[in-house]
Amino acid sequence: MAPQSTQRALSVYLYIPNIIGYFRIIINCVAFALCYSHKTLFAILYFFSFFCDGLDGWFARKFNQVSTFGAVLDMVTDRVSTACLLAVLSQLYRPGLIFLLLLGLDITSHWFQMYSTFLSGKTSHKDVKDKNNWLLKAYYGHRPFMAFCCVASEVCLSTIKETPLLSLSFFVTLIGWAVKQVINVIQMKTAADSCVFYDTKRSK
């Protein structure tokens, strides 16, 4: 039994979307090692990793390789890369506290969401069909809208100093960034409510 169990575990580790996840980690490590000395190369590598974030989900559904490990790997990789970006920006721009507050909001929101997902027995933190908030449903239910918010948020943060404040592209990305932060707050509150509901149900 043990060899068969080990073989199954190995196969999950070697799922195509999980291999993409490992590749993203390597890309991010290289990118952040160069973030101060080669900013253009850093931006290219960071956004390539961001692009691969969309590929892993597609491969998971295409080859029926959806896994809990993959979901956690994807979440952790996303959160760490965003945290590192915000930490770097807090050193480059002032006031740096703004970026650190955004970092805290991002981690808190997604941690609550992931934990409440497992408490409810769901397999994906993106399953919000039972939630009442329309914006949260729109974010996770419509991939183009999610992609716009995520890409706009990353671009807005990465180019906030280089982009003229009155440019159309800046306002478009600023809107996406603002919506993403509102969704983070909503997600944190609804996920916290789910955790509290679990506690009250368990205590009865």
Side-chain angles (χ1 to χ4, degrees), residues 86 98-110 188:
L86 290 168
I98 294 176
F99 298 104
L100 296 180
L101 290 174
L102 291 173
L103 189 159
L105 174 61
D106 185 74
I107 291 176
T108 304
S109 172
H110 286 85
M188 181 174 61

Side-chain angles (χ1 to χ4, degrees), residues 16 36 38 88 165:
I16 294 175
Y36 293 110
H38 299 84
V88 168
L165 295 181

